[in-house]
Amino acid sequence: MNGVKVDADQRPSISDVAVPDVAMSVVVIVYNDEARLPTAVRSVLEQTLRGVEVVIVDDHSTDGSYEVARRLAAEHPDRVRAYRLPENSGGCGAPRNHGILKTRGDYVLFLDSDDVLERDACRNFLDAAETTGADLVSGLCVRVHVDSRHRKEVRWYPWLYARTRTLDSIAELPDLLVYDTLSTNKCYRREFLVDSGLDFPVGIHYEDLLFSARAYTAARRITLIPNRVYDWNVVEKAGTKSISNRRAEIANFAHRMEMHRRVDRLLADNGLPELKFRKDVKFLKHDLVLHLRDLPMRDAVYRQEFAALARTYLASIDPAAYDEVEPIHAICAYLLRMSDWDNLLPAVDTLTNRDKVSAPLAERDGRVYWCAEHIDEDPFARRVLDVTALGYHARPVGKLFLRNELTEYRHEAGSGAVRLAGRVTNPLGVVPPGARLTAELEFYARRQGVRLQTFRFPVGTVRHEGAHVSWEASADLTKGLRPLGIVDAVWDVRLHLDVDGERTTTRLTAARSGLASGEVPVRPRLTRLVADRIEPQVSARGHLAFRLVPDKKANAVVTRGLQGAPGRLAKTGYRKAKALRKKATSGDTKLRLYHDLFLRMPVHKRLVVFESHLGRQYSDSPRAIYEEMRRQGLDFEAVWSYTGSPKGFPADATPVRRWSLPYLRALARAEYWIDNQSYPLKLTKRPGTTYIQTWHGSALKRMGFDEPGWKLKSRPEQAEQQRSLDRFDHFLVRSEHDVRTLARAFRLREKALLRVGYPRNDELVRARESAERPPLAAELGIPADKKVLLYAPTFRQHGGRRFELPFDVERFAEEFGDRYVLLVRAHYLNHVVLPPSVRGRVIDVSDHHDVTPLLAVADALITDYSSVMFDYALLDRPMLFFPYDYEEYVHTGRGTYFDLLERAPGPVVRTEDELTSVLRESSLAEQTVKYAAERERFVADFGEYDKGTAARDIVEEFFAEWRKA
């Protein structure tokens, strides 16, 4: 079946061959679960495979579970048998072991009474086992959150079950043992269980960890199937927590640690050190994290016992495993080993809220550390606590999510006034001592659909205290907070801190259990019968919130009303309104509005819509054309598209958010479109609109229909793509190379080509003739006696946005910092982090959206394949090429139009040592002379139409008549 799920009415293999009377036994264990047991058993009886029996084992329940089991056995005497243990075992091991002894089938499965088997599970298991001869077959488990609004489903480690595969050893796929430790989504050959002596440990929790590890290591063959086989029903609001969720009990953690030790001994006995290492990694980033998140709310006794247990086990973890997890995982594990509670508990806050900076941080020798403690005496601590790569030191206060610890909560009974105080972490002094500080508290409803109004209160006192910023505020909630009730039951709190005009927003972390308590009166908008009090609570992420306390009688009346006909009608109306609002703002609706309404409006004469890099920037040739139009005093209306924030876009133009209705209306009515990439592909351009496509660089790598991926698209997909390209009325080219590559790849008509060069390059042509250093050098703090090198690599896609520099930037700064300042400009889709040790010698200029001023200030360019090489050549300055991954880039990608190694107008280096050697052994002046002919030829080949007049020529050709009289 190749892992394809079998439908109930299509049973091609197993049902057509002889099957033993009992092909498969399903052991169903139950304890005090009489209500759900029948559903679990029914999921077995309704399997599409014949010959499946149910063995129910009751762990000496105190409710009617055993009576229900006996009734089911009586109703299905040939398929169901029921047994009861003489006393409760307190776990899953004993009843499962008893069930194994009572099974008669060739294969055995385990099912918990609160879960169900997928209908074709047994059929798919048996087919795979018989086909491959596997001792163990494992399928996909799905966690079903049964009490969530839409029964949310989460697949359990789905990458393990992407396809059918058979393993001769668990060593072939260590992640299976490490991650899928469940016993219930598996089918076991009974003979294998008996011969291997496999049973569950008794008297200890987390028995699946050891049983699954023993089964994996003992199995001669393991088959994985991509079929859904087991539904693990999760009840988040259960009155009685499952064993694995009773993390407030220290015994829970003790049992987990003991099971991990037993599995480690098993792996060592079987000579599987690689599996032990993978398991260490998973322990640091998963098992330990489950318990750490709850640690701030535990008392001192629990913490000490927890640390003692954890330290013993952490000592067995391979130190190399710390390098394989996220920094915050490693930091928490190390601080736990050291019992450093002052630093650990804030770190746990970051563990729970990943973007939060919860420590003041420390800088030593040009590196940034989570804390100053430990790093001076412990080399391992320096490695683990080093957070330089996270780039906290490079972010302004407005881009930091800072920990704000609630230090005081006071409320007088009967009063609506609440006094709050806290302290905001000040990492690396990002808030300077002399900064002007103001703040306000904001209360807002958690449920987004009812955020009709937020309530703000000024913070009376804000003061700088070195590693922290302290604040104190009083808020009269009776006068300020006006909830509706029912629909806005939970209110969150945040503090907005203003630092010299730059705002950062924090949440109030309730770091001490019991700090906030007591009911506070409020004035509801509708009626006090709904709720007229709120009480503080701590959210799942550890933040202060408030919950409405409803009047019990009134709440019962309201609840009955909501459940009755009027309530159902109101909820139905609300859902319909919500769906209508969602539909009204959907992409399809916007497209219909654009084509059916906006395009029917008359063209707005002299309206020009500008866009650069899909609205991300105010830059490039569209900017150059816009500024030339303003410089010439033309009479026109300008609209600039933006994505994110309109900050930085021109004040004398109208900003519109990309894909908003004003954006679509402007595009539909504009007389001109000017952009450098592409307006949304599905938007048709009306005949009365002229589209000037400036593009954003000459091509080294194959583009458009020259790309292999485009050639593989279907004819309709290619036709749709061509229609979007046919919208270009004019396409700017800077050389005949562009004509042979871009124009051909986009299948553009000859009459659409404008051989005028790129407007963005006019500045570079002028800069070539000027001997003055651009003012940007002074803005960046570059000394007059130092030359400027610009490193501008192309886009790299290696998972995530982080771009790892292909050379040691600290070594570079140490060797060349007395002669050069290196500017690093990552591609706008990448992100780079520089250590503080290179401050002043290496500068990250990636936030400078417009690359042209950076090119103009640079005395030499270092690049790989970026199209900036074609622009920078116009300056006739030295260029160094560092294509360190040339074979991968050229041969595993979409191919290139020419061999860069042959035509590069400067030295080509492939390693860091070669790069430093070139810079060390020859001056920029020497390289200027040495490669003069190559640069001249390069400009002739790729920039022949860049004469410095492109923007002026375009304005003259299309907009001259708009000059004001």
Side-chain angles (χ1 to χ4, degrees), residues 258 597 624 812:
E258 174 59 24
L597 176 61
F812 190 97

Side-chain angles (χ1 to χ4, degrees), residues 507-723:
R507 298 291 303 276
L508 276 56
T509 298
R512 300 202 313 268
S513 178
L515 175 62
S517 61
E519 296 181 354
V520 182
V522 293
R523 290 191 303 148
R525 286 180 178 274
L526 298 180
T527 170
R528 293 184 182 274
L529 291 176
V530 175
D532 61 358
R533 292 160 294 152
I534 60 174
E535 63 180 1
Q537 65 172 32
V538 180
S539 72
R541 292 187 175 274
H543 298 139
L544 178 68
F546 289 87
R547 176 180 290 276
L548 288 172
V549 183
D551 178 88
K552 292 183 179 180
K553 293 182 179 179
N555 190 60
V557 173
V558 172
T559 301
R560 284 197 299 271
L562 289 174
Q563 293 173 346
R568 287 194 298 271
L569 183 63
K571 285 187 283 188
T572 300
Y574 172 76
R575 293 191 187 108
K576 286 182 177 179
K578 187 176 179 181
L580 186 62
R581 184 169 64 250
K582 182 178 180 180
K583 183 178 179 181
T585 57
S586 69
D588 289 341
T589 300
K590 288 181 176 179
L591 283 174
R592 283 197 297 273
L593 281 171
Y594 176 85
H595 289 101
D596 297 343
L597 176 61
F598 296 152
L599 281 183
R600 297 179 184 275
M601 297 179 177
V603 172
H604 185 159
K605 293 297 183 181
R606 301 195 180 191
L607 172 62
V608 186
V609 179
F610 296 87
E611 184 171 288
S612 179
H613 294 300
L614 308 179
R616 293 186 182 93
Q617 304 172 2
Y618 172 58
S619 65
D620 211 76
S621 291
R623 173 178 180 170
I625 295 173
Y626 170 77
E627 291 180 351
E628 179 65 22
M629 294 171 72
R630 288 298 188 203
R631 197 158 31 243
Q632 293 195 23
L634 303 187
D635 181 15
F636 70 104
E637 182 177 341
V639 167
W640 266 95
S641 154
Y642 71 89
T643 299
S645 168
K647 185 178 180 180
F649 284 80
D652 53 0
T654 301
V656 293
R657 186 184 297 276
R658 202 170 195 266
W659 265 115
S660 65
L661 291 180
Y663 171 81
L664 296 177
R665 185 167 57 246
L667 281 177
R669 303 194 61 194
E671 188 173 357
Y672 281 90
W673 292 359
I674 300 178
D675 93 306
N676 68 350
Q677 200 157 338
S678 177
Y679 288 109
L681 302 181
K682 294 184 178 180
L683 299 184
T684 303
K685 182 184 71 68
R686 71 196 308 161
T689 299
T690 300
Y691 190 166
I692 301 176
Q693 172 57 252
T694 69
W695 204 240
H696 53 274
S698 297
L700 168 62
K701 218 166 190 184
R702 294 189 177 275
M703 302 288 292
F705 287 102
D706 289 343
E707 293 182 41
W710 281 41
K711 293 177 181 179
L712 294 175
K713 291 181 182 289
S714 65
R715 286 187 178 181
E717 288 174 324
Q718 291 191 16
E720 182 178 0
Q721 190 69 42
Q722 188 60 58
R723 280 193 295 272

Side-chain angles (χ1 to χ4, degrees), residues 132-176:
T132 65
D135 290 330
L136 186 160
V137 181
S138 189
L140 180 65
C141 170
V142 177
R143 285 170 58 96
V144 182
H145 295 257
V146 294
D147 58 348
S148 65
R149 180 179 295 182
H150 303 293
R151 285 180 64 90
K152 181 180 73 173
E153 295 187 351
V154 179
R155 296 186 297 167
W156 189 252
Y157 300 114
W159 81 85
L160 295 171
Y161 299 98
R163 60 183 176 87
T164 299
R165 62 187 301 184
T166 298
L167 313 172
D168 292 323
S169 168
I170 187 61
E172 296 178 28
L173 187 61
D175 279 354
L176 184 61

Side-chain angles (χ1 to χ4, degrees), residues 165-238:
R165 62 187 301 184
T166 298
L167 313 172
D168 292 323
S169 168
I170 187 61
E172 296 178 28
L173 187 61
D175 279 354
L176 184 61
L177 178 143
V178 171
Y179 289 97
D180 188 359
T181 57
L182 300 178
S183 65
T184 49
N185 61 331
K186 297 170 179 62
C187 166
Y188 310 86
R189 195 179 296 273
R190 188 178 189 280
E191 184 180 15
F192 160 68
L193 293 178
V194 174
D195 292 348
S196 302
L198 287 176
D199 58 7
F200 290 85
V202 177
I204 187 169
H205 302 322
Y206 300 104
E207 52 277 296
D208 273 14
L209 287 174
L210 183 59
F211 179 84
S212 295
R214 292 178 61 200
Y216 283 139
T217 54
R220 291 173 295 108
R221 182 169 293 171
I222 302 168
T223 295
L224 309 182
I225 57 176
N227 308 88
R228 179 175 183 163
V229 296
Y230 194 93
D231 282 7
W232 175 0
N233 291 329
V234 179
V235 182
E236 299 286 357
K237 301 172 184 176

